[in-house]
Amino acid sequence: MTTRPALPLRWAIGFAVAYAVLGVVARLTVVEGQAVSLIWPGAGVAILWLLAEAPRRQRFVLVPLLLLHAGVAWVTGAPPLVVLMGSVSVTVQTWLTVTLLRRWCPTLLGAGGTESFRSPRTLSRTCAAGVLGSIAGALIGALGVWAASGSWDSWVVLAWFARHFTGILVVGCIGHLAWEWHTQRVAPRARGGHRTELIVLWAVSAVGVVAIYSQPLPIAFLLMPLCVWSAARFRTFLGALHALGLGVAALVLTLAGMGPTVGLEDPVQEIVVAHVFLVAVLLTGLAVGTLGDRIDALVVRMGHARAEAAEQAELLAEMTESMDEGLVVLARDGSIERSNGASRRLAQRVRPGEPDDVALVALVGLIMDPAPHHTGASRAELGVGDVQVPLESGDELVLAVTRTALADRGDGCSGVLLVLREVTEHRRGLRPLVSFASTAAHDLRGPLTAIRSWLDLATMDLEPESDTAASVERAQRAAEQMADLIDDLLAHAMAQAGDLVASDLALGGPDGALSQAVALLGPDDVLDVPDALPSVHADEVALRQLFANLVGNAVKYTRPDVPAVVRVRAERHGPRVIVEVEDNGVGVDERERVLIFQRFHRSDTVRAGFRGNGMGLSICQTIVHRHGGTIECLAADPGPGSVFRFDLPAAVAADVPGTPPLTVRDVLSRA
């Protein structure tokens, strides 16, 4: 955190001299029979002086200010009590106003920021700080006048407040704008006026002030449009100077006995009215100016946002063009809105030599409405989201297709994003591997069955308590574990390489995919399956195996003497159904939640207390992946327990948001 440097001595002397000179000038306006002056512009100088000084050095301003005010008042013949209370009044007023400014307006110069009044909010908070400071100062000063004269006059409080608030607003605000003008680069007003217009404005204002204050009618409000004109067309500082010129001219003419206030008998009342007019004119100019500054800032920000958005759009276009995956954006009516280079190259392989738009329509038509023998369910090594695209050369193109419903863009229309990834060679090389694993696991069952049979016969001929019987029993347990492992390997091979026949399936209900999982529960276990679960589009055998493994694990990995409670939740999101299976078991350590889906992985906690070979969750992951989804393990909230969340394709019988309409096929047929 940086510390502000101290105010240079020459600037401190300059502020002190300015305050003293303005104080002497203000004391010359003391009316006979009154103890205080009619104006006090030095209040604004005091505010600027304290703002310019570092916060940790406020005493180097407040103490000289107290002594300086007392000296000016004493030399110009003020009563001793007025000298004392007036000095305290100005000091308290200045400290309170600056303290509030630094808290409420941190963007101001002197309050921690680098700018002046740039928004109506900052201006209103500045005025509020000036009002509160002036009220405090007026009360203290009025007490001094009352103590010196022995009589209380409410006009003294009002006049004291008016002259100090006017000084703060006029000298303080305009001085602060000049400070910014001197230290910062102030941008010109958008669509602002020129120098000739400014000269004309000042000439019209001078004539208007003289004309209005040369007659007694109260029509000074006609000067307000001139303030709006200057603040709207020129920088706020120039508009404030123009408003100051109008207000000071009105104040001087009022002191000279001219204008609509000459009918008032009390000169204090006259000057209060003149102060009100000056404040009104200046606030009008500042309000319009700061509002214009705010609008200009928003226009500049909008321009920067547009430039940044254009730059990001260009970067996104370059990124999508450089991707190996094909991207196609479909509108709600089925038309192709956007595509990248990879998708167009794939389309050219389907319709070589055709224009890109015609070839893309052909490719999208084959993907969105493929023949049954071209889907992922037709061959073991293909996933549910895979599509076989026949080529004119007689070969085939295998694409892994991901469909994502796009959010509504505000026009009531939503589209679909297609991500096309070529997996022809990968799927072609996968079939021999999964077939070998399936064959090897199947061929091991025969010898293992014979081993288990001979061990059973040997057990019948041995003494139950003999060492040999114990050894044979250990061999039987090892054979059972081997049989379980082979069963899991077969299940995994079936999940990975078995033919998938996808159809619309219900999750709940008597015929749902979860109906057979009830048989895995113990007498006290609970399986909570709501009736209104969305249907999915998946292979029935694989789906039942998926839920059997998850529910079986929940029943198996329970806490001691705590029955298993399994809750199933599902919610549809566009073309996918998000399913959660939650249990109240021992849970999974955070470090193990990714590793548990690896083949044969078992954590130390599970290995010590439970039997198994670590294949169940790997089978679940394979089934989910073949259906184009992902699976993850989360902590139950509240725990203990685990939540297995995965997604499956939604049933196609219902209206799936983002499903391409038939117009694609119509366009394809016309192409």
Side-chain angles (χ1 to χ4, degrees), residues 83-173:
V83 171
L84 175 62
M85 299 301 288
S87 302
V88 175
S89 167
V90 169
T91 305
V92 171
Q93 168 185 290
T94 303
W95 171 82
L96 179 59
T97 303
V98 172
T99 300
L100 294 177
L101 282 176
R102 284 174 172 162
R103 174 169 297 184
W104 292 348
C105 307
T107 61
L108 288 179
L109 279 167
T114 58
E115 61 184 31
S116 189
F117 310 104
R118 287 289 166 223
S119 68
R121 174 181 293 183
T122 304
L123 178 62
S124 61
R125 291 180 176 179
T126 301
C127 291
V131 166
L132 294 177
S134 300
I135 290 175
L139 293 176
I140 297 174
L143 288 176
V145 175
W146 173 65
S149 63
S151 62
W152 177 264
D153 188 355
S154 58
W155 274 103
V156 173
V157 180
L158 182 59
W160 195 298
F161 168 82
R163 68 185 185 132
H164 280 268
F165 179 70
T166 304
I168 292 174
L169 188 66
V170 173
V171 179
C173 290

Side-chain angles (χ1 to χ4, degrees), residues 49-50 53-67 91 95 102:
W49 188 1
L50 189 56
E53 184 59 88
R56 58 187 175 84
R57 292 173 52 87
Q58 291 188 103
R59 64 185 183 277
F60 292 99
V61 175
L62 297 177
V63 173
L65 178 64
L66 177 71
L67 299 177
T91 305
W95 171 82
R102 284 174 172 162

Side-chain angles (χ1 to χ4, degrees), residues 36-369:
V36 296
S37 62
L38 298 179
I39 61 173
W40 198 264
V45 174
I47 298 298
L48 294 175
W49 188 1
L50 189 56
L51 274 175
E53 184 59 88
R56 58 187 175 84
R57 292 173 52 87
Q58 291 188 103
R59 64 185 183 277
F60 292 99
V61 175
L62 297 177
V63 173
L65 178 64
L66 177 71
L67 299 177
L68 191 61
H69 184 91
V72 170
W74 180 268
V75 169
T76 54
L81 286 176
V82 175
V83 171
L84 175 62
M85 299 301 288
S87 302
V88 175
S89 167
V90 169
T91 305
V92 171
Q93 168 185 290
T94 303
W95 171 82
L96 179 59
T97 303
V98 172
T99 300
L100 294 177
L101 282 176
R102 284 174 172 162
R103 174 169 297 184
W104 292 348
C105 307
T107 61
L108 288 179
L109 279 167
T114 58
E115 61 184 31
S116 189
F117 310 104
R118 287 289 166 223
S119 68
R121 174 181 293 183
T122 304
L123 178 62
S124 61
R125 291 180 176 179
T126 301
C127 291
V131 166
L132 294 177
S134 300
I135 290 175
L139 293 176
I140 297 174
L143 288 176
V145 175
W146 173 65
S149 63
S151 62
W152 177 264
D153 188 355
S154 58
W155 274 103
V156 173
V157 180
L158 182 59
W160 195 298
F161 168 82
R163 68 185 185 132
H164 280 268
F165 179 70
T166 304
I168 292 174
L169 188 66
V170 173
V171 179
C173 290
I174 295 180
H176 200 276
L177 287 168
W179 184 4
E180 182 194 40
W181 188 280
H182 177 69
T183 59
Q184 310 289 329
R185 181 184 178 276
V186 181
R189 176 79 69 219
R191 300 181 179 180
H194 301 287
R195 182 175 300 177
T196 303
E197 182 181 351
L198 184 62
I199 295 174
V200 172
L201 172 64
W202 276 93
V204 172
S205 300
V207 173
V209 170
V210 173
I212 289 174
Y213 276 82
S214 297
Q215 52 83 42
L217 296 178
I219 56 175
F221 59 86
L222 294 177
L223 297 175
M224 290 297 184
L226 298 176
C227 295
V228 177
W229 178 8
S230 64
R233 295 285 291 168
F234 301 97
R235 294 180 177 93
T236 302
F237 178 48
L238 298 179
L241 287 178
H242 174 263
L244 175 63
L246 291 178
V248 170
L251 183 62
V252 171
L253 292 175
T254 300
L255 291 174
M258 301 175 62
T261 61
V262 294
L264 298 177
E265 297 179 357
D266 190 348
V268 176
Q269 296 179 6
E270 288 186 20
I271 204 64
V272 167
V273 174
H275 280 154
V276 171
F277 178 75
L278 175 58
V279 169
V281 170
L282 185 58
L283 281 180
T284 300
L286 289 175
V288 175
T290 55
L291 182 60
D293 289 336
R294 182 62 175 167
I295 294 175
D296 289 348
L298 292 177
V299 171
V300 172
R301 187 181 302 175
M302 183 181 300
H304 291 164
R306 287 180 177 176
E308 185 178 354
E311 183 179 353
Q312 292 180 351
E314 183 179 358
L315 177 60
L316 180 61
E318 294 177 355
M319 293 172 58
T320 55
E321 286 296 321
S322 64
M323 292 177 61
D324 294 331
E325 291 81 5
L327 301 178
V328 180
V329 178
L330 299 180
R332 191 175 183 85
D333 62 355
S335 61
I336 299 175
E337 286 191 349
R338 296 186 181 182
S339 61
N340 68 341
S343 64
R344 293 190 289 273
R345 289 191 293 270
L346 289 173
Q348 284 297 324
R349 295 177 61 182
V350 176
R351 292 286 182 89
E354 296 281 355
D356 286 342
D357 54 348
V358 176
L360 274 173
V361 170
L363 176 62
V364 171
L366 294 173
I367 290 173
M368 303 305 293
D369 191 20

Side-chain angles (χ1 to χ4, degrees), residues 317-572:
E318 294 177 355
M319 293 172 58
T320 55
E321 286 296 321
S322 64
M323 292 177 61
D324 294 331
E325 291 81 5
L327 301 178
V328 180
V329 178
L330 299 180
R332 191 175 183 85
D333 62 355
S335 61
I336 299 175
E337 286 191 349
R338 296 186 181 182
S339 61
N340 68 341
S343 64
R344 293 190 289 273
R345 289 191 293 270
L346 289 173
Q348 284 297 324
R349 295 177 61 182
V350 176
R351 292 286 182 89
E354 296 281 355
D356 286 342
D357 54 348
V358 176
L360 274 173
V361 170
L363 176 62
V364 171
L366 294 173
I367 290 173
M368 303 305 293
D369 191 20
H373 59 281
H374 287 158
T375 61
S378 62
R379 285 163 48 180
E381 71 271 16
L382 301 183
V384 172
D386 290 353
V387 176
Q388 302 174 66
V389 179
L391 304 178
E392 292 184 358
S393 62
D395 294 332
E396 66 176 11
L397 182 68
V398 181
L399 298 177
V401 181
T402 302
R403 308 180 188 184
T404 303
L406 299 178
D408 191 344
R409 291 165 290 184
D411 54 0
C413 297
S414 59
V416 178
L417 172 65
L418 298 180
V419 181
L420 314 177
R421 183 166 56 92
E422 184 183 359
V423 291
T424 306
E425 296 299 327
H426 178 268
R427 299 296 191 259
R428 187 177 296 166
L430 184 63
R431 176 93 186 211
L433 295 176
V434 296
S435 298
F436 171 77
S438 177
T439 301
H442 183 272
D443 291 345
L444 287 175
R445 293 180 63 89
L448 184 60
T449 301
I451 292 173
R452 295 179 65 183
S453 299
W454 285 110
L455 289 174
D456 290 340
L457 291 175
T459 302
M460 298 174 58
D461 295 335
L462 295 174
E463 293 294 333
E465 303 297 333
S466 64
D467 294 338
T468 304
S471 299
V472 172
E473 184 178 355
R474 287 195 294 271
Q476 284 181 315
R477 289 197 298 267
E480 291 175 358
Q481 293 179 359
M482 180 63 71
D484 293 340
L485 177 59
I486 292 176
D487 289 340
D488 288 339
L489 287 174
L490 285 173
H492 191 275
M494 183 63 68
Q496 192 171 33
D499 294 339
L500 295 181
V501 181
S503 60
D504 289 352
L505 301 172
L507 296 179
D511 298 326
L514 284 157
S515 59
Q516 296 183 1
V518 179
L520 302 173
L521 303 176
D524 298 326
D525 299 333
V526 176
L527 177 60
D528 182 11
V529 182
D531 294 332
L533 291 179
S535 300
V536 297
H537 187 71
D539 181 83
E540 182 176 3
V541 176
L543 193 60
R544 292 186 183 276
Q545 185 180 18
L546 169 65
F547 284 114
N549 283 351
L550 293 177
V551 175
N553 281 351
V555 174
K556 180 178 181 180
Y557 298 112
T558 57
R559 292 170 290 153
D561 301 326
V562 177
V565 177
V566 186
R567 295 182 176 87
V568 180
R569 299 182 294 270
E571 184 176 352
R572 184 169 181 165

